[in-house]
Amino acid sequence: MNTACGLLLHARLATLADGDCDLLDDGALAWRDGRIVWVGASRDLPRAFDDLRDSATDARGALVTPGLIDCHTHLVFAGSRADEFERRLRGESYAAIATSGGGILATVRATRAAGEDALLAAALPRARALLADGVTTLEIKSGYGLDLATELAMLRVARRLGETLGIGVRTTLLALHALPPEYAHDRDGWVDFACNSLLPAATGAGLADAVDAFCEGIAFTPTEVRRLFVAARRHGIAVKLHADQLTDCGGAALAAEFGALSADHIEYSDAAGIAAMAAAGSVAVLLPGAFYTLGETRRPPLATLRAQGVPIAVATDLNPGTSPLASLRLAMNLACTLFRLTPDEALRGTTVNAARALGLGDRGRLASGLRADLVLWDVESVAELVYWIAGPRARRVIAGGRELGSNAAP
Ligand code: DI6
Ligand code: FE
């Protein structure tokens, strides 16, 4: 059945309604026209939903969560960087590979050479892997084009992915990712281009929901990022930032100053930066896949984030260089194992807080009026969901009230 209406009975519901992970045992959930219309105990289901009983699904006590939200990915790109994986295993650093012309620029060369259809074809299996594992909303960044045509092409492909798969896609213009070869000796020229050409073109075409930058010693300085954020403010578009991943650049404070939706990575952010994020309401997006891949040792300042009440999200950072990871559930596991999040924090981080990191108020919880995005898992508890390292666990994935898979054919 694929009518965007449905009823689930006898589920263990992790509604996240109050932002916590308390389970509602023997819960029921009804949806119509892609929206949740009722959540409560199975025995209390009102007669008004009797028409849905014929097609109801008995969850048999399975855990049901909101559809997961991967709020930080770079999943549109061409090629792979398996060669760099081998170079790093032989001892070369990510930074050394990047400054020798590899790294992001290697993916830029492959992405520019691929046509839009080839980019879509390459991205689809990665997106499908995320979906099969419970993701119903996904953010996708540009940043491997570094010229006007290819940046816009990446964003168009991201939008097409959402339409093809029947899931929510939010697009982010990653305007300052690396210095393209054409501007190798003209940093200011590239920042000018990003502010005055890329940004207006992407926003004018309605292709970008937010703007991002890589603020790092090997990428862009806080002064350069500030110019982009001032331009973003002029265009009325939200900002996000790759902040303090490898060094403390003051990225967290800079993101907060501009009211960023999120500051991402933040392993090296200091206490003042975290306090500024708390005051600004910016979400801390933790990306354990990159931490793991690069063999980093400095963990994000979890105690400070908790003490300051900064909302914490977890994402895959799916990208060919530092996080070739196409499972948000594995990212949750890594966040617990490597950063010491609790399983409840990991689930909040991929639902309610991830929605906030994307500025989305209509999903991330199971409550009346919100999108009917939900997952039935073959596990009994949140801890069990996060503890399995691999292997299929999603029994059914429903996005906008429709079973994924039934409408996911290209
Ligand atoms: N996101 C990025 O943009 C960079 N690191 C990260 O977490 C690098 C991506 C790449 O090497 O391709
Ligand atoms: Fe990233």
Side-chain angles (χ1 to χ4, degrees), residues 150-342:
T150 319
E151 285 293 304
L152 297 184
M154 288 185 71
L155 295 170
R156 275 194 299 271
V157 168
R159 291 263 196 252
R160 278 170 72 189
L161 269 172
E163 289 153 18
T164 305
L165 295 170
I167 55 157
V169 167
R170 299 293 279 181
T171 54
T172 300
L173 175 71
L174 178 42
L176 297 180
H177 196 194
L179 204 57
E182 298 79 6
Y183 286 86
H185 305 291
D186 185 12
R187 296 186 67 88
D188 277 348
W190 174 247
V191 179
D192 283 344
F193 183 80
C195 296
N196 302 327
S197 298
L198 266 185
L199 178 59
T203 53
L207 283 171
D209 300 311
V211 175
D212 195 350
F214 190 13
C215 188
E216 192 52 69
I218 57 168
F220 293 91
T221 66
T223 307
E224 290 162 340
V225 172
R226 179 180 294 279
R227 286 180 54 203
L228 178 69
F229 281 5
V230 168
R233 187 184 272 163
R234 239 188 359 256
H235 285 270
I237 186 165
V239 300
K240 305 169 79 68
L241 188 63
H242 285 74
D244 307 330
Q245 177 189 7
L246 307 169
T247 54
D248 182 3
C249 305
L254 177 62
E257 184 188 330
F258 284 85
L261 286 172
S262 68
D264 304 34
H265 290 291
I266 65 161
E267 280 88 339
Y268 283 84
S269 298
D270 62 12
I274 302 301
M277 285 176 66
S282 301
V283 176
V285 178
L286 306 187
L287 304 168
F291 178 93
Y292 165 80
T293 301
L294 296 181
E296 295 294 323
T297 51
R298 168 86 167 228
R299 296 178 186 166
L302 206 55
T304 314
L305 291 170
R306 285 177 179 141
Q308 296 280 350
V310 175
I312 298 170
V314 174
T316 60
D317 196 14
L318 201 176
N319 77 67
T322 61
S323 195
L325 168 62
S327 165
L328 186 53
R329 208 158 46 86
L330 181 51
M332 294 161 82
N333 176 280
L334 291 174
C336 293
T337 310
L338 300 175
F339 296 162
R340 298 289 174 218
L341 263 71
T342 66

